[in-house]
Amino acid sequence: MSKIRRSGEQSLAAAEPQQRGVAAVESAAAILDVLHKAQVPLGVTSIAKASGFAPARVHHYLVSLLKTGLVHKEEDPVRYGLGPFAIRLGLTAVDRLEIQHFSAPFLHELSTETGEASFFSIWSPAGPVIVRWEQGLRPLTVFARLGTVMPLLRSATGQVYCAWGPGVAVAEAVERALLQLPPSERAAERAACKVRTEEARRMACGTTRGSMLAEVSAVAAPVFDRDGHLAGVMTVLGLLQGFDASPKGKMAKAVRRVSRQLSEKLGYSDGDE
């Protein structure tokens, strides 16, 4: 019986012509997958170890991936991460994910109630990325495009990711952001970031008043998935004048409530019934 089965399988394989792929594309995809899973920039040696390719081969592919924008390069030390084109491709895929569509009616509710603009962001290798925007009734001098990466150090959104985001990835991103500051300012900003993070955890929201953009305040709150992991962040923002950015104010209460409703939609329960 086994001989007959093998014979049949061989005949079937022979009858179906094998489709030839492009090995280079498959290798490039493997390298991109390594960078995606790492969530932080990696050196050539680390990429080679994770992909199973020789370092020289990895470097060869990275040259082309850099040219296409699928990968970006950081200096001192040299490390590689997913580039802007890869992020745009990811956002196209995100558009098909349930969470982005789930967020739409909740953002609409938040902006209708507060009269302010709001947006929903998710974590990406580049940091928090806006994937949904809702325009409010009140005039706003800024408009964030989909795909905009929010800063971790200067935004209410960033405070929430520092408080509940993927630990290692967020810590690495914070250190990269600190490197953009003058050396004399890094220690103080690191300490200030720790204080803001602890305050965000305590108040269940992040707040800013003109620290990211002049004349603009914002309040952000976490959205959790059914496993209790941070699924994204909901943020409401508006002009300083007339915008209550206090952690105990009406904006904070609204964004916390709506974020909790979205979390429950995703299956999250903190046990407080």
Side-chain angles (χ1 to χ4, degrees), residues 159-166 200-206 222 224 229-230:
Q159 292 173 24
V160 177
Y161 280 101
C162 286
W164 288 281
R201 289 197 188 103
R202 188 172 68 87
M203 302 304 300
C205 68
F224 299 104
H229 299 140
L230 187 67

Side-chain angles (χ1 to χ4, degrees), residues 116 138-142 208-218 237-243 245:
E116 306 289 0
R138 295 186 66 196
L140 189 62
T141 55
V142 297
T208 55
R209 298 175 182 84
S211 59
M212 179 180 168
L213 294 171
E215 305 302 322
V216 174
S217 291
L237 68 162
L239 297 178
L240 281 172
Q241 188 69 28
F243 188 101

Side-chain angles (χ1 to χ4, degrees), residues 29-184:
I31 291 173
L32 291 173
D33 188 50
V34 167
L35 296 177
H36 162 68
K37 290 178 178 177
Q39 294 193 342
V40 294
L42 299 175
V44 171
T45 302
S46 297
I47 298 172
K49 183 177 180 180
S51 64
F53 299 149
R57 184 181 181 187
V58 169
H59 185 269
H60 175 75
Y61 278 99
L62 288 172
V63 171
S64 292
L65 291 171
L66 280 167
K67 291 180 179 179
T68 61
L70 286 167
V71 164
H72 81 276
K73 181 180 179 181
E74 295 184 358
E75 304 289 350
D76 193 29
V78 174
R79 295 184 299 180
Y80 299 87
L82 294 181
F85 183 42
I87 293 174
R88 290 200 299 273
L89 290 176
L91 287 172
T92 300
V94 165
D95 190 52
R96 298 180 175 88
L97 295 178
E98 290 183 336
I99 187 170
Q100 192 210 9
H101 296 299
F102 280 163
S103 71
F106 294 93
L107 285 176
H108 180 72
E109 177 184 346
L110 181 61
S111 288
T112 299
E113 177 181 338
T114 63
E116 306 289 0
S118 62
F119 64 82
F120 185 74
S121 63
I122 62 172
W123 182 258
S124 80
V129 175
I130 295 176
V131 295
R132 176 75 70 173
W133 174 276
E134 180 76 21
Q135 189 63 41
L137 297 176
R138 295 186 66 196
L140 189 62
T141 55
V142 297
F143 176 80
R145 296 184 303 170
L146 299 186
T148 297
V149 179
M150 298 297 294
L152 286 173
L153 298 181
R154 294 182 293 111
S155 69
T157 303
Q159 292 173 24
V160 177
Y161 280 101
C162 286
W164 288 281
V168 174
V170 170
E172 291 269 358
V174 167
E175 289 303 313
R176 291 197 301 273
L178 289 171
L179 289 176
Q180 305 303 312
L181 301 176
S184 60

